[in-house]
Amino acid sequence: MTLLALEESRNLAEWLRLLAQPQRLTILSALLDGPHAVSEIETMTGIGQPTLSQHLGTLRRSGLIESQRESRAISYCMADTPDAARARMLLMTLRPDGQAVTPSAAAPLRKANTQAASQDGARFARIVRPLSR
């Protein structure tokens, strides 16, 4: 195994520091099964809206998640970047329940929306079904 250079070690430590926050891990785990609107993420995670917005902004700026605006609603999904793929793999590996998420379910939002828009024309509203318990 190759020894990490000091700068590589610093970059890795900074990336791990980004993930070493329970609320951010909760948000990322909520996005493993696909895109969700902010209100859905708030309901799923129990994180209040102001705190949720701060964490979503941090994760978006880091390139781990992406946002998509539809009218007034904003949806988030895991980004299609190497860092996001590493975070996804890390979360799936370390989950206590051992459940894995299929790669197709974690596909980026922009690809799904591009296909839907080309088939359905303009989209002005999105109907969200309640989560079954």
Side-chain angles (χ1 to χ4, degrees), residues 7-66:
E7 187 60 30
E8 291 173 319
S9 296
R10 285 185 181 134
N11 291 338
L12 180 58
E14 189 62 34
W15 185 77
L16 290 171
R17 202 172 292 119
L18 175 71
L19 296 178
Q21 209 290 334
Q23 291 173 320
R24 289 188 198 138
L25 287 174
T26 302
I27 293 166
L28 290 172
S29 68
L31 296 176
L32 283 176
D33 66 346
H36 291 285
V38 174
S39 59
E40 293 174 319
I41 299 169
E42 183 178 8
T43 301
M44 293 167 67
T45 63
I47 301 170
Q49 202 280 325
T51 303
L52 180 61
S53 291
Q54 288 179 346
H55 288 300
L56 288 170
T58 299
L59 291 168
R60 188 176 33 79
R61 285 187 299 276
S62 72
L64 293 179
I65 64 173
E66 297 176 338

